[in-house]
Amino acid sequence: MHALTLPSGAAGLRFDQALAQALPQYSRARLKTWIESGAVQVDGRPLRGKDRVLGGEQVRIRAELPVQDRVQAESMPLAVVVHPGAGNARHTLQNALLALDPKLALVPRAGLVHRLDKDTSGLLLVARTPEAHSALTAAMAARQITREYLAVCTGVLTGGGTIDEPIGRHRTQRTRMAVRSDGRPAVTHYRIERRFRAHTLVRVTLETGRTHQIRVHLAHIGFPVVGDPAYGGRRRIPKGSSPAVVAELRAFPRQALHAARLSLSHPLTHREHEWRSPLPADMQRLLAALEADR
């Protein structure tokens, strides 16, 4: 599968470290599995991961990428799909991706590099090869991929800002997240796009990618996302709202959160690319009603 020569600069490194540097497109966990299974030969013999190398060794790897066979291919329109979850093995984006390109069975999670919360619309990044998946996952972890969201919040924000509050699992409600002092670092930047009589449209940029991060952070500062069933509490209808606003707020079927822009450096060409997703019809209707109610 691979044949390579360890560079002289690898002298003194552990073998698993030297191999990770030589093959950055693969995760350390995958390389460790290959080393421990004997699929990796160094000058014709196996080495342990902790063995030191001199540089110049000839490495041969004979291993097959595992097929991700837990998710079945399923043809479906991609306008409305969700992620796999507990008790939800079908009708997901992974199923649809495998139907579009069966080779994605060789890529972890059928190529999905990150997630969107259920009922959040917009852009999602998918890698089509294991090498691209590894590179893009590393770029995401290193905060080298820009993700911007648009959210309609309850309440009128006076200005933009940054929310730097750790997020962890809720202590009693295990399906929810919460701001916790012992949580993982989480940083959300937001700026005002448009103010309404009792709501605000904000553009949000993520530095980190914690579960439910935008929803948790905006609710934490007192401006929950409209329609958010987990963090927004009971639907709020501001006093004096027009009949159109009342109807839109009551009928809005999800949290008003949309992944609007994504930019990155291509893992092979290193050229900068950007994608934008227009607001879906339900958020456009909501914003039109809010605008008319000024």
Side-chain angles (χ1 to χ4, degrees), residues 5 8-9 36 45 65 75 80 83 108 117 170 207 214 234:
T5 301
S8 58
E36 293 179 347
R45 62 186 179 86
L65 291 170
S75 179
V80 182
H83 289 286
D117 294 347
H170 194 284
E207 276 196 29
I214 294 173
R234 190 175 64 180

Side-chain angles (χ1 to χ4, degrees), residues 22-41:
L23 297 171
Q25 66 268 41
Y26 297 114
S27 68
R28 287 179 179 259
R30 175 163 289 163
L31 294 175
K32 179 181 178 182
T33 298
W34 287 346
I35 292 171
E36 293 179 347
S37 69
V40 184
Q41 297 283 311

Side-chain angles (χ1 to χ4, degrees), residues 32-276:
K32 179 181 178 182
T33 298
W34 287 346
I35 292 171
E36 293 179 347
S37 69
V40 184
Q41 297 283 311
V42 181
D43 292 335
R45 62 186 179 86
L47 281 186
R48 297 170 300 177
K50 66 180 181 180
D51 291 336
R52 301 288 170 172
V53 300
L54 300 175
E57 291 93 338
Q58 302 296 311
V59 179
R60 283 189 169 275
I61 302 175
R62 297 185 179 278
E64 297 293 331
L65 291 170
V67 174
Q68 310 294 311
D69 58 359
R70 290 177 295 176
V71 180
Q72 300 299 312
E74 185 176 352
S75 179
M76 67 174 74
L78 282 178
V80 182
V81 289
V82 294
H83 289 286
N88 183 39
R90 297 190 59 199
H91 309 308
T92 73
L93 183 54
Q94 285 195 28
N95 302 105
L97 288 172
L98 289 169
L100 284 174
D101 184 359
K103 294 191 294 297
L104 288 174
L106 297 174
V107 187
R109 295 185 296 280
L112 291 170
V113 175
H114 65 116
R115 291 177 176 269
L116 291 180
D117 294 347
K118 181 181 179 182
D119 293 330
T120 294
S121 56
L123 295 165
L124 195 65
L125 183 58
V126 179
R128 300 191 69 179
T129 67
E131 294 82 1
H133 187 272
S134 179
L136 291 171
T137 300
M140 186 74 73
R143 304 179 184 179
Q144 296 169 348
I145 296 177
T146 300
R147 291 170 290 161
E148 282 189 357
Y149 294 75
L150 289 170
V152 182
C153 300
T154 299
V156 182
L157 282 156
T158 57
T162 295
I163 309 168
D164 185 354
E165 296 285 355
I167 291 176
R169 188 71 58 182
H170 194 284
R171 296 186 187 279
T172 59
Q173 301 176 44
R174 305 306 294 172
T175 60
R176 296 180 58 191
M177 308 300 287
V179 169
R180 294 179 46 165
S181 60
D182 59 347
R184 300 175 67 190
V187 180
T188 302
H189 305 286
Y190 63 94
R191 69 176 188 266
I192 294 173
E193 287 287 305
R194 207 181 316 168
R195 291 189 185 93
F196 305 100
R197 190 173 60 82
H199 297 84
T200 310
L201 175 66
V202 295
R203 185 173 296 272
V204 180
T205 304
L206 295 178
E207 276 196 29
T208 53
R210 307 302 175 216
T211 301
H212 300 175
Q213 178 174 321
I214 294 173
R215 298 158 61 195
V216 171
H217 270 171
L218 289 177
H220 177 71
I221 64 171
F223 297 88
V225 177
V226 166
D228 189 341
Y231 306 104
R234 190 175 64 180
R235 295 204 176 209
R236 306 179 194 178
I237 307 296
K239 290 183 180 180
S241 295
S242 68
V245 167
V246 173
E248 287 295 335
L249 290 175
R250 286 178 173 169
F252 202 79
R254 61 185 180 92
Q255 64 264 9
L257 182 60
H258 177 72
R261 187 176 78 89
L262 189 148
S263 63
L264 56 86
S265 174
H266 193 283
L268 296 181
T269 67
H270 304 295
R271 293 179 180 175
E272 292 296 322
H273 292 270
E274 178 181 284
W275 295 267
R276 293 178 182 267

